[in-house]
Amino acid sequence: MSEIIEALNEIEKEKNINKEVLMEAIERSLVLACEKDFGKDAEVEVSMNRETGDIKAYQKKLVVEEVENEVNQISLTQAQAMSKKNKLGDYVKFEIRSKDFGRIAAQNARNVIVQAIKEGERFALYQKFVVKERDIITGVVQRINGNNINVALDDKTDTVLVEKEQVPGEVYRVGDRIKLYVVSVTLNEPSDKDGKDKKDSKGKKDKKDRKGFKILVSRTHKELVKRLFEKEVTEIADGTVEIMSISREPGSRSKIAVKSNNPDVDPVGACVGHGGNRVNSIVDDLKGEKIDIINWHEDPAVYIKNALSPSDVISVTINMDDKKDAVVVVPDDQLSLAIGKEGQNVRLAHLLTNYNIDIKSESQARELGMLDDEDEYYED
């Protein structure tokens, strides 16, 4: 069977599938084929010569005093008639010489090779995309399927942008190029322990359980914003500027806190870019989503003040009993700005800083005795 070895060598070279893996798969398939002929109790051993491709198959029988199962047992008398060296507990091998074995071996080898090629190509595609996990990829909208969007990632791979991962209000059209965050890439495997495809109630293959891999993508994940900044802002890519936190309400507004590891570099300015070119490019990718870029600060009071931008802040008081509570006082005419439409600004500031923020107007604070007449606006 030298042609099998030649075929395996070619597959190993072209498809990058290990030849040894293919040979082991062929051996396993032939064991299963022989067990079907001899019965499930049969003990079969198949070996393929790694140089010539020749295949030998043996049925093994245990030497016992009294035979209870002729499929896998042989009496001591019969065994010693074959060789005086045989003793109780030994295994005697009988070579399988069925005239159909050569045909079965060739057919099984072909089937295994075809399946291995499919598996190899599947795994190669999986490896191509698994390295993109937690990163951004660009896809092309193929079709609108109800509330889900089918997106082509390349000429062989597509995925589905499910409704819950879509940004409310975004409209997708066939042919649109969209940037997606790869949440996860997972292999699908049959759950049956015998490796058979699961069947549904009608006896058909369960499409949800078929082999392949699944790419979960998102347009709503806050890490999408982070990755877009990393790709657009060179100072973030090289570590000069660091993203410390992000809060996001997809399609509406995001806040991003940044710090500089170089005193000569303004982190906010680096992210905004000349004339706003950098942040505007990201806003375009997010279909108009507004982005507030603020300076991170190790002092939580300063950090919270910055997070409430664009509102002015008079004072920030951190609850000393619970470091995650803060009371913020703002000018009377800034109260609605600090809170934001439907509470969005303070809500995003809370998610950004991880502090519970209670906002009061200046007049409210004075009524409560929280401010003295000489109190001035909060300074960094």
Side-chain angles (χ1 to χ4, degrees):
M1 296 185 182
S2 59
E3 58 272 13
I4 289 183
I5 297 297
E6 291 176 6
L8 296 180
N9 287 335
E10 193 68 23
I11 292 168
E12 185 174 48
K13 180 180 178 181
E14 292 184 1
K15 302 292 185 180
N16 196 29
I17 304 172
N18 191 297
K19 182 172 68 174
E20 180 63 26
V21 172
L22 292 173
M23 289 183 166
E24 290 175 357
I26 292 171
E27 289 171 340
R28 288 194 301 272
S29 72
L30 291 172
V31 168
L32 291 174
C34 291
E35 287 177 349
K36 286 181 180 178
D37 286 342
F38 290 96
K40 63 180 182 179
D41 292 333
E43 294 192 47
V44 178
E45 184 179 280
V46 176
S47 62
M48 173 183 268
N49 187 295
R50 270 36 182 176
E51 300 298 326
T52 65
D54 290 337
I55 297 173
K56 297 287 187 180
Y58 300 92
Q59 183 179 6
K60 296 164 55 181
K61 292 189 177 184
L62 179 66
V63 179
V64 295
E65 282 279 9
E66 185 176 346
V67 175
E68 296 179 355
N69 188 336
E70 292 185 353
V71 174
N72 56 26
Q73 293 177 345
I74 185 173
S75 70
L76 179 60
T77 302
Q78 289 176 302
Q80 288 189 335
M82 298 169 60
S83 172
K84 293 295 184 181
K85 294 181 180 180
N86 290 327
K87 58 183 183 298
L88 291 174
D90 286 349
Y91 277 96
V92 176
K93 291 183 179 181
F94 298 87
E95 186 173 357
I96 298 172
R97 295 181 178 276
S98 168
K99 63 180 180 180
D100 291 328
F101 183 75
R103 178 185 56 80
I104 294 171
Q107 182 61 45
N108 279 32
R110 281 194 295 272
N111 293 340
V112 167
I113 289 170
V114 169
Q115 183 62 28
I117 290 173
K118 291 180 180 178
E119 291 294 312
E121 291 175 342
R122 173 180 77 115
F123 193 68
L125 279 173
Y126 165 75
Q127 289 181 310
K128 173 184 175 181
F129 285 98
V130 76
V131 298
K132 298 180 183 293
E133 208 170 47
R134 295 184 293 279
D135 203 350
I136 290 175
I137 55 176
T138 299
V140 178
V141 176
Q142 292 289 85
R143 64 183 182 276
I144 314 298
N145 188 10
N147 294 325
N148 296 331
I149 312 297
N150 289 76
V151 183
L153 304 180
D154 61 20
D155 58 350
K156 293 183 179 179
T157 313
D158 59 10
T159 188
V160 177
L161 180 62
V162 296
E163 184 179 12
K164 70 176 183 178
E165 299 296 343
Q166 298 171 26
V167 174
E170 281 192 356
V171 178
Y172 308 93
R173 297 180 178 85
V174 173
D176 284 352
R177 294 179 64 82
I178 56 175
K179 290 186 177 178
L180 304 162
Y181 178 74
V182 181
V183 179
S184 64
V185 182
T186 54
L187 283 169
N188 294 332
E189 296 292 351
S191 55
D192 287 357
K193 63 182 180 180
D194 63 1
K196 294 180 179 178
D197 288 322
K198 286 177 65 177
K199 303 292 181 68
D200 62 18
S201 58
K202 297 180 179 179
K204 296 180 180 180
K205 288 184 179 180
D206 185 349
K207 292 182 180 180
K208 294 180 181 179
D209 198 55
R210 60 189 174 184
K211 290 185 178 181
F213 61 95
K214 180 180 179 181
I215 304 174
L216 176 61
V217 293
S218 175
R219 286 277 295 169
T220 63
H221 205 291
K222 68 179 183 180
E223 288 292 306
L224 174 63
V225 178
K226 183 177 182 180
R227 293 291 179 260
L228 287 171
F229 271 96
E230 288 173 346
K231 293 183 184 302
E232 187 67 34
V233 181
T234 54
E235 291 85 350
I236 293 177
D238 66 20
T240 303
V241 173
E242 190 173 347
I243 297 174
M244 303 302 290
S245 182
I246 293 176
S247 59
R248 186 185 184 202
E249 293 193 353
S252 178
R253 182 180 293 272
S254 289
K255 285 183 181 284
I256 176 171
V258 293
K259 77 167 186 175
S260 176
N261 295 315
N262 183 335
D264 296 327
V265 175
D266 171 23
V268 174
C271 292
V272 171
H274 182 68
N277 64 318
R278 287 175 169 177
V279 71
N280 287 339
S281 176
I282 295 168
V283 168
D284 288 344
D285 284 330
L286 297 176
K287 309 296 184 184
E289 182 173 313
K290 295 179 175 62
I291 301 175
D292 297 335
I293 306 169
I294 65 111
N295 279 301
W296 178 87
H297 202 286
E298 61 183 5
D299 182 339
V302 178
Y303 186 25
I304 290 168
K305 170 190 174 293
N306 294 345
L308 286 169
S309 173
S311 169
D312 293 329
V313 172
I314 295 175
S315 70
V316 178
T317 303
I318 303 296
N319 187 332
M320 300 307 292
D321 295 328
D322 184 348
K323 296 296 184 181
K324 294 302 180 183
D325 282 344
V327 178
V328 178
V329 179
V330 301
D332 288 359
D333 63 353
Q334 299 277 299
L335 182 61
S336 60
L337 184 63
I339 294 173
K341 185 178 180 180
E342 298 180 349
Q344 184 185 68
N345 196 55
V346 69
R347 186 165 58 249
L348 288 173
H350 156 65
L351 294 171
L352 190 73
T353 63
N354 200 28
Y355 274 80
N356 300 312
I357 302 172
D358 181 14
I359 297 182
K360 298 189 181 301
S361 67
E362 182 178 4
S363 57
Q364 287 174 327
R366 292 194 185 281
E367 288 177 7
L368 295 170
M370 297 172 59
L371 291 176
D372 296 327
D373 290 338
E374 63 270 17
D375 279 343
E376 298 180 355
Y377 278 66
Y378 191 91
E379 297 290 334
D380 282 11

